[in-house]
Amino acid sequence: MPSKVEITFAKSVRPAGGVGVLLQVAGSQPAWVTAADPDGVSARAARTAKFTAKALSTLDILAPTNSPFERLLVLGLGDKAKITRHDWLKAGGVAASKVKGSEKITVYLDAEPLEVGGREAADFALGMALSAYSFDQYKTKKSDDDTTPRDRTLRVTIVTSAVIAAKKAWTDAEAVLDGVVLARNLVNEPPNVLGPVEFAARAKELEALGAEVEILTEREMKKLGMGALLGVGQGSARPPRLAVIEWKGGKPKDKPLAFVGKGVVFDTGGISIKPAGGMEDMKGDMGGAAAVIGLMHVLAARKAKVNAVGILGLVENMPDGNAQRPGDIVTSMSGQTIEIINTDAEGRLVLADALWYCNERFKPKMMINLATLTGAIMVALGSNHAGLFSNSDELSEKLLAAGLRTNEKLWRMPLGREYDKIIDSKFADMKNSGGRYAGAITAAQFLKRFVKETPWAHLDVAGTAMGSPSDEINTSWGSGFGVRLLDDLVREEYEG
Ligand code: MN
Ligand code: ZN
């Protein structure tokens, strides 16, 4: 199972064993904690090593003679004036990666001359827990050089003067942790384990947190006329599902915020089949739906004061005697017809019906969809920004700001009539592929035809939801990208 982290906040502790973590701000005297290092050995070690406490730099010191710890780790925070909120997550992440293999950690958070509040303490703990995540439940034996016990729990005590505030902030931060872990787990799960039905069952589990969850079967979707979504799934032996998760934490009359996720549990490309190399990564083609369920988990777990709805379009795209063909024309729930040019451009077909359904049924205040939609967005932006497409400048500004706060960064891409024309079809109202050029944009134009006037944003997370480079708080293949971003958006812009 993914490693467990147990966080405790305390005003003081009687230190014994394990690793002691001490923080230091650049240009200040080391805030050595006498309890951790009665003889001040670490201060001498830091001087000798010319440790200057640059941001996220560390100094490892083995067992000072009279220290109650086996090891001390000094963690630099850099310039006091430059420390952002996100830096506390990073600092926690670095600390966790440096103490990997230990089971007992004591962190002394108060670093003169810094005032460390409850929120910073909770963020530090969140960074540690996110960094300690690993998905190894399918390995029956650990590697030779890894001496870490398989089912270890990392026990972290964070010593801070702001204990009460820290505990309060941690209840929210822990909800965020659980949501990100849920999203990561789902993306990392192998596709034989996680089909549309199994994914929908995971959504159903959110009822335990007070969310209302409804699962639409193939028959119900047929009745609603979801020909675009159903066409994608018709080559698979595993039937599609549509999960509808509602969290009602706001006033009954408030229109909900809506989040829609592409959940293609495996994408072979269908009859327009993908090359073999790297196809295993297509188990992550449900990264958008994973982020939406993760977000809904967070909102329900921290009892967010908003109404929100999460919709997951869950299908498998397989080649088969019954699979849809290039040249097929399908009718979407909106009534608009779509000529299939490339069966590998399936995500937009799933979203077309999911977005339309969401808009018609819930009349949301705004609608954000997440999808591992195009390889073209990776050509444009790589793995460090997700593509943002929107019909609303206001919603875009809010999202971009949340991206900077959480370091889940977005970059706005254009929409326009010229691009929209590219997906006009000779035989139907539109075609599902406009070719290589502007591939990420024409995909977004396609979605836009299913959202009417509702303020809407499409996040193309193909480069960020899976296989993105490791950073301080994530070493997992499935990153959980989007959960912290959207939780922050909801918190800062729509709650209270
Ligand atoms: Mn595809
Ligand atoms: Zn896909």
Side-chain angles (χ1 to χ4, degrees):
M1 283 304 286
S3 36
K4 279 183 64 188
V5 180
E6 226 177 73
I7 307 274
T8 314
F9 296 95
K11 209 156 223 142
S12 66
V13 287
R14 184 195 300 267
V19 188
V21 178
L22 309 170
L23 269 55
Q24 189 183 334
V25 177
S28 74
Q29 285 302 306
W32 306 118
V33 180
T34 322
D37 181 13
D39 299 341
V41 175
S42 35
R44 279 208 305 284
R47 272 198 303 279
T48 314
K50 297 197 164 53
F51 180 77
T52 55
K54 273 198 311 201
L56 305 180
S57 62
T58 55
L59 177 71
D60 225 330
I61 305 163
L62 282 173
T65 322
N66 289 325
S67 172
F69 296 106
E70 288 147 19
R71 242 175 94 195
L72 289 180
L73 178 78
V74 185
L75 175 61
L77 292 173
D79 274 356
K80 183 188 168 191
K82 287 187 190 156
I83 302 172
T84 66
R85 186 166 173 208
H86 186 69
D87 288 332
W88 286 98
L89 269 92
K90 284 187 180 173
V94 169
S97 67
K98 292 288 171 185
V99 301
K100 215 176 158 208
S102 335
E103 283 181 40
K104 194 176 171 192
I105 320 292
T106 307
V107 183
Y108 293 88
L109 212 56
D110 296 321
E112 304 283 333
L114 210 58
E115 292 259 349
V116 183
R119 190 161 160 165
E120 287 82 5
D123 281 344
F124 187 93
L126 177 60
M128 285 192 86
L130 287 172
S131 159
Y133 172 92
S134 73
F135 188 81
D136 51 14
Q137 71 208 75
Y138 293 100
K139 294 190 174 196
T140 58
K141 53 178 191 241
K142 55 195 183 221
S143 61
D144 294 342
D145 55 355
D146 182 10
T147 54
T148 311
R150 165 151 306 280
D151 51 356
R152 79 196 188 278
T153 296
L154 185 64
R155 288 194 172 76
V156 182
T157 305
I158 295 187
V159 185
T160 169
S161 47
V163 175
I164 294 166
K167 280 183 179 162
K168 192 163 176 282
W170 178 243
T171 49
D172 278 0
E174 201 172 23
V176 173
L177 170 65
D178 292 345
V180 175
V181 165
L182 172 60
R184 286 180 182 176
N185 282 346
L186 289 167
V187 174
N188 287 328
E189 277 291 2
N192 57 334
V193 169
L194 192 75
V197 170
E198 293 79 11
F199 200 130
R202 301 293 279 270
K204 199 80 182 157
E205 287 172 14
L206 264 55
E207 284 181 341
L209 298 171
E212 292 168 27
V213 184
E214 196 182 332
I215 308 296
L216 273 59
T217 63
E218 203 172 3
R219 250 184 71 193
E220 291 164 307
M221 286 188 272
K222 253 181 208 150
K223 254 191 221 157
L224 288 163
M226 294 187 170
L229 184 151
L230 290 169
V232 176
Q234 75 187 33
S236 171
R238 301 194 283 184
R241 290 288 184 266
L242 192 88
V244 181
I245 308 163
E246 286 181 83
W247 169 251
K248 295 173 179 167
K251 297 190 193 84
K253 278 195 180 147
D254 278 359
K255 289 180 178 177
L257 311 171
F259 304 94
V260 179
K262 168 185 173 184
V264 175
V265 296
F266 193 77
D267 182 15
T268 61
I271 295 300
S272 314
I273 198 162
K274 291 175 183 292
M279 204 205 272
E280 66 279 9
D281 286 352
M282 286 300 104
K283 71 173 183 176
D285 209 18
M286 29 56 73
V292 170
I293 190 177
L295 170 71
M296 295 307 293
H297 182 108
V298 178
L299 298 181
R302 67 175 184 77
K303 308 241 172 291
K305 290 186 180 59
V306 288
N307 295 331
V309 54
I311 294 192
L312 321 175
L314 304 167
V315 298
E316 181 175 47
N317 187 20
M318 293 292 263
D320 171 85
N322 194 45
Q324 74 178 355
R325 294 150 288 253
D328 282 5
I329 293 177
V330 295
T331 304
S332 65
M333 183 182 171
S334 72
Q336 300 176 92
T337 56
I338 305 158
E339 181 189 7
I340 309 299
I341 299 297
N342 186 325
T343 64
D344 196 10
E346 86 298 341
R348 68 202 67 180
L349 299 168
V350 173
L351 288 171
D353 281 338
L355 286 166
W356 187 267
Y357 174 80
C358 177
N359 215 3
E360 292 298 294
R361 175 168 168 192
F362 293 102
K363 311 267 178 265
K365 192 179 290 175
M366 59 80 159
M367 199 158 58
I368 297 174
N369 75 260
L370 295 96
T372 50
L373 206 64
T374 67
I377 201 65
M378 298 166 73
V379 175
L381 300 175
S383 290
N384 296 310
H385 287 82
L388 159 66
F389 301 83
S390 180
N391 61 3
S392 161
D393 291 342
E394 195 191 330
L395 180 56
S396 294
E397 290 305 321
K398 288 176 179 172
L399 275 162
L400 288 165
L404 292 177
R405 285 192 298 268
T406 55
N407 207 36
E408 293 195 331
K409 287 178 292 193
L410 305 173
W411 195 261
R412 191 168 181 190
M413 303 282 285
L415 290 168
R417 198 178 291 276
E418 314 84 323
Y419 296 111
D420 190 54
K421 273 199 294 210
I422 301 174
I423 54 167
D424 285 340
S425 156
K426 266 201 296 265
F427 299 107
D429 296 338
M430 70 193 89
K431 53 188 178 183
N432 81 326
S433 172
R436 272 183 67 214
Y437 289 156
I441 304 172
T442 52
Q445 291 293 162
F446 184 97
L447 300 181
K448 189 172 178 289
R449 293 188 180 203
F450 298 87
V451 298
K452 294 188 177 170
E453 302 305 314
T454 305
W456 154 81
H458 153 52
L459 309 182
D460 193 334
V461 296
T464 50
M466 56 184 173
S468 49
S470 292
D471 61 25
E472 291 84 358
I473 58 168
N474 180 50
T475 57
S476 162
W477 184 76
S479 63
F481 183 97
V483 177
R484 291 191 303 109
L485 170 81
L486 295 177
D487 176 60
D488 183 274
L489 175 83
V490 170
R491 217 187 279 228
E492 298 295 325
E493 305 287 355
Y494 297 99
E495 266 182 272

